[in-house]
Amino acid sequence: MNPPLAGLRPLVLGFAGPVLTPDEEALFGRFPPAGFILFDRNIDSPRQLRMLTDRLRALTGRPDVPILVDQEGGRVQRLGPPHWPEHPPARPFGELYKEGPIAALDAARFHAWRTFARWSAASRSMADATGCVVSAASASAATCLSTVSAPRS
């Protein structure tokens, strides 16, 4: 029995647009990467994202293939309004820290709690629409989309 990652190349790849080109499909089908990363150019709507993630899973033959999103908040926000909650930038916390470190830390904690609550609420509708659920939605460099068993919308 092969381990789950046997034969996978330790490579996470991006691609050109919101749908895969024939060349990208051929490449990913022949040499499935360990995962994918999505950028603004890859995401239009929940329905389009669902079709794209389904296709990526089909090409790799892995329903659990990691699909990441470059999601940092502020200007770097691939999943945002109108379909997903806004994730504000971290800069205001840094500015506040210069004036009052304790207040800045309290504000950052509150922001993290509020962001987590908003993403948790949005996660169910995202699962229904895209077949994915956000498994990490903090001010990290990438937000992981994991497979869930969710009905198609």
Side-chain angles (χ1 to χ4, degrees), residues 86 88 109-119:
E86 183 176 14
R109 282 187 196 99
F110 176 78
H111 167 72
W113 175 85
R114 189 178 127 229
T115 300
F116 176 77
R118 290 171 67 201
W119 272 100

Side-chain angles (χ1 to χ4, degrees), residues 1-74:
M1 183 167 144
N2 289 334
L5 298 178
L8 291 180
R9 284 130 184 95
L11 188 61
V12 174
L13 297 176
F15 44 92
V19 294
L20 296 171
T21 67
D23 287 342
E24 289 166 339
E25 288 208 9
L27 176 68
F28 299 154
R30 184 165 177 185
F31 302 105
F36 299 94
I37 186 162
L38 306 180
F39 297 93
D40 195 45
R41 65 181 180 260
N42 306 119
I43 301 170
D44 287 332
S45 69
R47 182 171 185 215
Q48 172 272 331
L49 183 59
R50 173 64 187 241
M51 292 185 336
L52 178 61
T53 57
D54 283 351
R55 188 67 189 132
L56 294 171
R57 290 183 187 108
L59 285 170
T60 63
R62 292 186 54 219
D64 64 344
V65 67
I67 301 172
L68 309 169
V69 178
D70 182 32
Q71 177 82 1
E72 299 168 26

Side-chain angles (χ1 to χ4, degrees), residues 93 96-97 100-112:
F93 301 110
L96 181 58
Y97 190 86
I102 293 174
L105 293 173
D106 287 344
R109 282 187 196 99
F110 176 78
H111 167 72

